[in-house]
């Protein structure tokens, strides 16, 4: 029901596809009965129906324009449903007028039955087309937003990897420079001033690395390194004509014909047609699921439902043997309904699948980009810590020893060994370097800034808590999903990340982005985790995670 309502109120109910389908149905299948039941009478009905369709279609053009201009969904619903009822109700009168003008004959049949048939047919078939087109349009729009964001996140990842390579090269150059400076110092007069000069050099290198780290972090990421990713090619017809849901084709056709059947032969004939439709649909559904698989799926699908159409024609003649040429209508009408229902089912399933695939791809890419950002920054931060700590500490100890005398060979060797160990630690970092929760959050936000305008606010007490915690997969996954949703469901592509302490003492992260919270969007990549809430706050959607004892303290880094 929600999918149908979104199609009706989405602003594109009346499209060229609905026009083509309505012309086909009106002028081939749902034709007025003029004169008798022979082929010539049927052809007269086709002409009248086609001309009547042109009159009604022209009357709907202003409605199609209006529904695209209206902003309120309720107003669109009134325009679409009201016009559909009006057109379906007036169609019999329009056809009567056209028939009298052309042939001097008025179509026969009870007005109430004709109007009811028109209403059921119009609502059923046009709703199916609207669902197909609206879901495809929504899926294309969401997929395009996700592809664009993925492009920008990939650029951020590549940039982070380049930054990691640049940082490694810079650290190597700095170590070579410091080793050379140390050996020159030790080869000359070693006194307090000489050691202090070397310590100042170590400090300058440390500050230079730290300054370069900040400058690289503040450098904006290009929006896109190359043209955007093209959409994936559309699947072949063999892959799109899937088996329709059970009892959704022949019974639907029989239901559309029910008012006519009751008027022509009574309620028993109408119910008999529905029962026959159920039986035909059951057999055709079994055959479709058994044999209509790619690569010959399309041909088998058409063949099966053509046979089903012949079966419905047989049911029609069994209950209304005098119906004449009209009894042949289901031979083509049933396969058409089957194809429409099948395409509708495929559109819904493919839209959900494409959205899940694009969402997962973007989430994974963002996590990779964030990890690359952390890997790019971690060696430099570690180098700054080592130079400030171990290297300068060795300088302080050595300077105290040479303050009033020349150093002994053992003291020189000790100084050289201490600084060499620090330099080796710079050049050969451990394979695993524990990142804090703050590192992980900063890396994730930095990666996402290439795709979303993200601002991050961390309260002072939460900042201390983040710095004392190891990187939390729960936290990163939840924030990542919230930012994916900001891209997928909001054209604004803005988000605010706020971190504070929850009243109970845990760490609370809120991600706020513009958008509407639909009932089906309350679960996703991370919302099955404990401690997560999703709720609306005015025109925003708030994604909140509370982390209490789910993360371990960060290991100390040397």
């Amino acid at each position: 029901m929600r999918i149908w309502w979104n199609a009706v109120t989405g602003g594109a109910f009346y499209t060229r596809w609905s026009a083509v389908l309505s012309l086909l149905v009106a002028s081939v299948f749902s034709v007025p009965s003029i004169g008798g039941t022979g082929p010539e009478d049927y052809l007269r009905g086709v002409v009248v129906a086609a001309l009547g369709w042109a009159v009604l279609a022209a009357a709907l053009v202003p409605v199609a324009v209006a529904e695209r201009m209206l902003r309120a969904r309720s107003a669109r619903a009134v325009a679409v449903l009201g016009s559909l009822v009006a057109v379906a109700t007036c169609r019999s009168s329009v056809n009567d007028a056209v028939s009298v003008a052309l042939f001097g004959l008025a179509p026969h049949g009870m007005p109430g039955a004709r109007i009811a048939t028109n209403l059921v047919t119009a609502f059923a078939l046009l709703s199916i087309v609207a669902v197909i087109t609206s879901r495809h349009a929504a899926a294309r729009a969401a997929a395009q937003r996700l592809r664009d964001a993925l492009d920008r996140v990939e650029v951020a990842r590549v940039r982070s990897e380049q930054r990691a390579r640049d940082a490694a090269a810079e650290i190597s150059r700095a170590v070579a420079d410091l080793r050379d400076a140390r050996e020159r110092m030790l080869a000359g007069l070693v006194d307090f001033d000489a050691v202090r000069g070397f310590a100042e050099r170590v400090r300058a290198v440390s500050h230079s690395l730290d300054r370069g780290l900040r400058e690289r972090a503040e450098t904006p990421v290009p929006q896109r390194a190359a043209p955007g990713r093209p959409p994936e090619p559309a699947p072949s017809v063999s892959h799109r004509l899937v088996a329709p849901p059970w009892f959704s084709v022949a019974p639907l056709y029989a239901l559309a014909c029910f008012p006519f059947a009751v008027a022509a032969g009574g309620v028993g004939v109408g119910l008999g047609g529905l029962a026959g439709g159920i039986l035909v649909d059951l057999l055709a559904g079994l055959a479709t699921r058994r044999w209509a698989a790619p690569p010959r799926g399309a041909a088998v699908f058409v063949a099966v439902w053509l046979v089903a159409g012949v079966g419905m024609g047989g049911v029609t003649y069994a209950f209304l043997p005098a119906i004449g040429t009209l009894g042949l209508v289901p031979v083509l009408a049933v396969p058409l309904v089957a194809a429409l229902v099948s395409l509708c089912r495929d559109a819904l399933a493919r839209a959900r699948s494409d959205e899940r695939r694009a969402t997962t791809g973007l989430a994974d890419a963002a996590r990779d980009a964030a990890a690359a950002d952390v890997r790019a920054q971690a060696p430099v931060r570690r180098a700054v810590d080592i130079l400030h700590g171990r290297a300068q500490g060795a300088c302080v100890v050595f300077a105290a020893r040479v303050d009033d005398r020349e150093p002994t060979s053992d003291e020189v060797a000790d100084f050289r060994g201490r600084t060499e160990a620090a330099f080796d630690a710079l050049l050969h970092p451990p394979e695993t370097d524990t990142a804090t929760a703050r590192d992980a959050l900063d890396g994730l936000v930095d990666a996402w800034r290439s795709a979303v305008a993200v601002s991050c606010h961390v309260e002072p007490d939460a900042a201390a808590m983040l710095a004392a915690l190891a990187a939390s997969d729960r936290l990163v996954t939840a924030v990542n999903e919230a930012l994916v949703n900001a891209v997928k469901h909001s054209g604004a592509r803005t988000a605010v990340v706020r971190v504070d302490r929850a009243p109970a003492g845990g760490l609370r992260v809120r991600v706020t982005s513009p958008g509407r919270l639909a009932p089906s969007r309350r679960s996703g990549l991370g919302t099955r985790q404990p401690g997560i809430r999703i709720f609306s706050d005015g025109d925003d959607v708030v994604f909140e995670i509370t982390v209490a004892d789910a993360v371990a303290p960060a290991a100390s880094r040397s």
Side-chain angles (χ1 to χ4, degrees), residues 8-346:
V8 169
T9 62
F13 185 87
Y14 293 119
T15 63
R16 64 181 183 274
W17 301 111
S18 60
V20 170
L21 175 69
S22 61
L23 173 60
L24 179 64
V25 172
S27 60
V28 178
F29 306 128
S30 182
V31 300
S33 300
I34 303 173
T37 58
E40 291 183 2
D41 302 309
Y42 175 75
L43 291 177
R44 275 199 296 264
V46 169
V47 173
V48 169
L51 293 175
W53 174 90
V55 173
L56 297 173
L60 282 176
V61 170
V63 181
V65 174
E67 73 160 328
R68 285 157 175 77
M69 298 177 62
L70 294 171
R71 293 292 174 262
R73 286 184 171 265
S74 57
R76 292 175 186 165
V78 171
V80 168
L81 297 179
S83 63
L84 199 58
V85 171
V87 166
T89 304
C90 295
R91 180 172 180 250
S92 298
S93 299
V94 171
N95 287 344
D96 290 351
V98 173
S99 180
V100 170
L102 286 180
F103 305 111
L105 297 172
H108 57 80
M110 297 180 61
R114 294 171 64 192
I115 292 174
T117 299
N118 292 333
L119 284 171
V120 173
T121 304
F123 271 94
L125 297 184
L126 292 187
S127 294
I128 290 174
V129 173
V131 168
I132 293 173
T133 55
S134 64
R135 290 303 298 162
H136 271 301
R140 284 196 303 267
Q144 188 59 52
R145 287 194 296 268
L146 292 166
R147 283 194 298 269
D148 289 343
L150 181 58
D151 286 336
R152 292 188 287 268
V153 170
E154 286 289 345
V155 171
R157 182 188 59 78
V158 172
R159 186 195 67 165
S160 294
E161 292 176 349
Q162 182 60 48
R163 281 167 48 182
R165 290 190 292 270
D166 293 343
E170 187 176 358
I171 291 172
S172 296
R173 289 193 298 270
V175 168
D177 178 72
L178 290 176
R179 279 174 172 164
D180 184 64
R182 181 193 63 193
E183 295 306 317
R184 288 200 307 271
M185 179 199 70
L186 294 177
L189 177 62
V190 181
D191 57 11
F192 180 84
D193 291 335
V195 177
R196 184 178 63 180
F198 177 72
E200 289 294 332
R201 193 178 190 91
V202 171
R203 182 181 179 185
V205 170
S206 174
H207 286 185
S208 176
L209 291 174
D210 189 38
R211 184 169 56 252
L213 176 66
R214 291 196 303 271
E215 290 174 353
R216 284 189 291 269
E218 294 169 0
T219 302
V221 180
Q223 288 299 299
R224 183 179 289 149
R229 297 167 184 257
E232 294 185 4
S236 65
V237 176
S238 295
H239 289 82
R240 297 183 67 177
L241 286 177
V242 298
W246 291 105
F247 310 119
S248 62
V249 178
L252 177 61
Y253 174 79
L255 182 63
C257 298
F258 186 81
F260 174 81
V262 171
V267 176
V269 171
L271 294 176
L274 282 175
I278 291 173
L279 177 60
V280 168
D281 197 285
L282 175 62
L283 296 175
L286 289 171
T288 303
R289 287 165 174 79
R290 175 66 178 85
W291 293 304
R296 62 180 186 275
V300 174
F301 183 96
V302 172
V304 166
W305 288 103
L306 275 173
V307 173
V310 173
M312 281 304 297
V315 171
T316 303
Y317 282 117
F319 287 99
L320 298 172
I323 195 172
T325 306
L326 291 178
L328 299 176
V329 169
V331 175
L332 294 180
V334 168
L336 174 65
V337 174
L340 287 174
V341 174
S342 174
L343 291 174
C344 181
R345 182 182 186 185
D346 174 74

Side-chain angles (χ1 to χ4, degrees), residues 427-470:
L427 295 176
H428 306 289
E431 293 183 1
T432 56
D433 192 15
T434 305
T436 67
R438 182 61 185 268
D439 294 336
L441 181 62
D442 287 344
L444 186 66
V445 169
D446 186 62
W448 269 103
R449 282 197 176 110
S450 60
V452 181
V454 186
S455 59
C456 185
H457 307 283
V458 181
E459 298 298 328
D461 54 350
M465 195 171 179
L466 280 171
L469 294 176

